[in-house]
Amino acid sequence: MIQTIRNAWKVQELRNKLLFTIFALLIFRVGAAIPVPFIDSNTLQTYMQAQSASIFGLLNVMSGDAFAYATVFALSIQPYINSSIIVQLLTIAIPALERLAREGGEEGKKKIAAITRYVTVAIALIQAFGYYTLIRSVEPSVLSTDGVWPAIVIIAAFTAGSAFVMWLGEQITEFGVGNGISVILFAGIVARGPAMVSSMINGVRSWANGSTTAATLHPAFIPLVIVGMLMLVVFIVFITNAERRIPVQYAKRVVGRKMYGGQSSHIPIKVNMSGVMPVIFAQAIASIPATIGMFVPSAQTEGSGWNTFLRIFDSNGLVYSIVYFLLIVLFSYFYNTIQFNPVEVSNNLKKNGGFIPGFRPGKPTADFLQKVISRLTLFGALYLAVVALLPAITGNIMSALGSSAGSNLAIGGTSIIIVVGVALETTKALEAQLMMRHYKGFLE
């Protein structure tokens, strides 16, 4: 990965793309530190720190601490992710949108992108109002001034910040390196690295001082956590690069006096074809109960019905884990269905005189490819779901052994998958562009 970045830095065009991506991420981090008016950020952060083991903690991780401090980018990229899910599902459900996506060409893609932007602003407006309702219900009050005008300013700031992050992500996709949404999520999670290390150090100090009020962490847990994370990273990299190669044989044909074809090739199918997107989308959907809870002030009152409802969906809870597991599996199948069409691949092979040994061209080949895709998708989905939930299980075990700091490991599983997955995808994008420029220079 480091070698790929070095090689890319030597190419002027790629160096400009890298600099643009870095500059865009700096803007994102600056916006994540600008507080919204009329809000006492420190008091709110104290409240959010107490909710770190809940779904609010996960939202805070994805925003790079912006959610806890109620900054301009507090909603981060979440409204855009939710909007993308809704529009893609509507594209399948509504025939007019499906025709626009498939047959509209470049113009159709632009219209779909415009619809996604409008839906993003609408969702951001709803979530901003919900977050404002949550802030109003926090005791002691974090609002310096209450009233209609402060409410309008706060909601407008959150909505505008989310829209700007969406635009920034699109600019990274077009002029930078990698997928803009994934890169922004990557930056937000990595930005919390120093805070996580500081939390572990404070936990050890609390244990050494015999404190029972702060989150404590036994020193023996630190090497176990580090080794476990390293093993998890190695496993994620291994599965991400794993692929099933389906052999393809091309028939020989005579054109004039020359014979063409007859060579062997293969179709590479990734075990985890959809990458980290199922995890990102599943996390966005799983955070809906917390979003609903924002609109209800009584949800922050201990013992109330809404408070009990939110606690059921804690990131360490059984219900949240089951829903999260099923959503990851569902979105894995959904994304693979969009990315790989067995019928289209079978028709292309047939047109080019290719066939898979042991299967007739046409429908038998398409059925075989569909069978392989279904099995690989199931394995890839189970891999993503298990890796995402394994730290949650480990955190519960640590909590049972007396370490309250273990509750945050549930959030760490999702973070590791996203960080490693985005790093690998971005590296592959750089390698592909380097390869393209290498061949271009060779042909010239």
Side-chain angles (χ1 to χ4, degrees):
M1 179 179 176
I2 296 176
Q3 187 62 37
T4 301
I5 295 175
R6 285 180 179 176
N7 294 334
W9 191 260
K10 297 176 183 177
V11 181
Q12 178 66 35
E13 186 176 353
L14 293 183
R15 182 164 64 247
N16 292 339
K17 288 190 174 186
L18 287 171
L19 290 173
F20 181 87
T21 304
I22 294 171
F23 181 69
L25 293 180
L26 285 175
I27 294 176
F28 169 70
R29 291 309 304 159
V30 169
I34 298 176
V36 171
F38 307 112
I39 296 178
D40 184 357
S41 300
N42 293 326
T43 304
L44 180 63
Q45 195 273 337
T46 302
Y47 169 79
M48 286 296 177
Q49 190 173 9
Q51 306 289 327
S52 60
S54 68
I55 191 68
F56 293 134
L58 185 58
L59 292 175
N60 188 41
V61 169
M62 297 304 165
S63 64
D65 269 343
F67 187 82
Y69 287 94
T71 62
V72 176
F73 291 165
L75 300 182
S76 190
I77 203 72
Q78 296 297 326
Y80 184 65
I81 294 174
N82 293 333
S83 174
S84 300
I85 297 171
I86 292 171
V87 172
Q88 288 187 16
L89 291 176
L90 290 178
T91 301
I92 297 175
I94 301 176
L97 286 178
E98 186 178 6
R99 287 194 300 270
L100 186 64
R102 290 189 176 182
E103 303 170 7
E106 193 64 31
E107 193 65 28
K109 291 180 180 179
K110 289 181 180 179
K111 290 182 179 179
I112 294 292
I115 293 172
T116 305
R117 294 189 193 102
Y118 292 134
V119 176
T120 299
V121 174
I123 293 175
L125 191 61
I126 295 172
Q127 289 188 350
F129 178 74
Y131 193 30
Y132 169 74
T133 305
L134 172 68
I135 291 171
R136 284 190 62 188
S137 65
V138 174
E139 294 292 342
S141 178
V142 298
L143 290 175
S144 59
T145 306
D146 201 359
V148 177
W149 175 247
I152 293 174
V153 171
I154 292 171
I155 293 172
F158 286 148
T159 305
S162 180
F164 184 81
V165 172
M166 171 190 68
W167 176 82
L168 198 63
E170 291 181 345
Q171 299 307 304
I172 292 175
T173 302
E174 185 174 357
F175 301 108
V177 178
N179 183 289
I181 300 176
S182 302
V183 171
I184 287 177
L185 277 176
F186 174 89
I189 294 171
V190 171
R192 294 196 77 249
M196 291 181 180
V197 173
S198 176
S199 177
M200 293 179 69
I201 294 174
N202 291 334
V204 173
R205 287 176 178 173
S206 298
W207 174 87
N209 295 330
S211 174
T212 57
T213 56
T216 59
L217 180 66
H218 195 284
F221 284 124
I222 292 182
L224 292 177
V225 171
I226 295 175
V227 171
M229 286 186 175
L230 290 176
M231 292 177 63
L232 197 58
V233 169
V234 172
F235 180 66
I236 292 172
V237 172
F238 174 76
I239 296 296
T240 302
N241 293 328
E243 63 184 18
R244 165 80 184 273
R245 296 183 177 182
I246 299 177
V248 176
Q249 185 71 35
Y250 288 91
K252 294 181 180 180
R253 53 196 177 94
V254 178
V255 180
R257 295 183 178 182
K258 294 184 178 180
M259 180 176 292
Y260 294 91
Q263 72 270 24
S264 299
S265 184
H266 65 269
I267 302 175
I269 302 178
K270 291 285 186 182
V271 172
N272 182 29
M273 190 186 304
S274 52
V276 298
M277 294 311 294
V279 177
I280 296 174
F281 277 22
Q283 178 269 323
I285 296 296
S287 64
I288 288 179
T291 304
I292 297 174
M294 291 179 185
F295 292 89
V296 185
S298 62
Q300 313 310 318
T301 305
E302 291 290 338
S304 66
W306 278 104
N307 184 265
T308 304
F309 172 75
L310 286 180
R311 288 192 178 278
I312 291 175
F313 285 92
D314 274 357
S315 56
N316 283 336
L318 179 62
V319 175
Y320 176 85
S321 299
I322 293 174
V323 172
Y324 196 37
F325 183 94
L326 294 176
L327 284 173
I328 290 176
V329 174
L330 175 65
F331 280 114
S332 294
Y333 275 96
F334 174 71
Y335 253 84
N336 285 358
T337 301
I338 294 176
Q339 291 182 344
F340 192 93
N341 188 343
V343 176
E344 185 178 346
V345 174
S346 174
N347 291 336
N348 289 337
L349 286 176
K350 189 176 181 180
K351 289 178 183 178
N352 292 293
F355 63 93
I356 298 175
F359 297 92
R360 295 177 60 187
K363 190 176 184 302
T365 298
D367 292 341
F368 170 72
L369 290 174
Q370 182 62 53
K371 185 178 179 181
V372 172
I373 286 295
S374 298
R375 290 180 175 178
L376 289 179
T377 301
L378 178 61
F379 180 83
L382 291 177
Y383 141 76
L384 281 177
V386 169
V387 170
L389 293 176
L390 186 61
I393 298 171
T394 306
N396 286 327
I397 294 173
M398 289 176 63
S399 297
L401 294 175
S403 174
S404 58
S407 59
N408 292 328
L409 284 180
I411 298 173
T414 304
S415 303
I416 291 175
I417 291 179
I418 294 176
V419 167
V420 176
V422 171
L424 291 175
E425 289 178 2
T426 306
T427 302
K428 289 179 181 178
L430 278 174
E431 289 176 349
Q433 296 196 35
L434 280 171
M435 188 69 69
M436 181 178 65
R437 282 159 180 77
H438 172 74
Y439 282 125
K440 181 180 178 182
F442 176 77
L443 292 173
E444 288 176 351

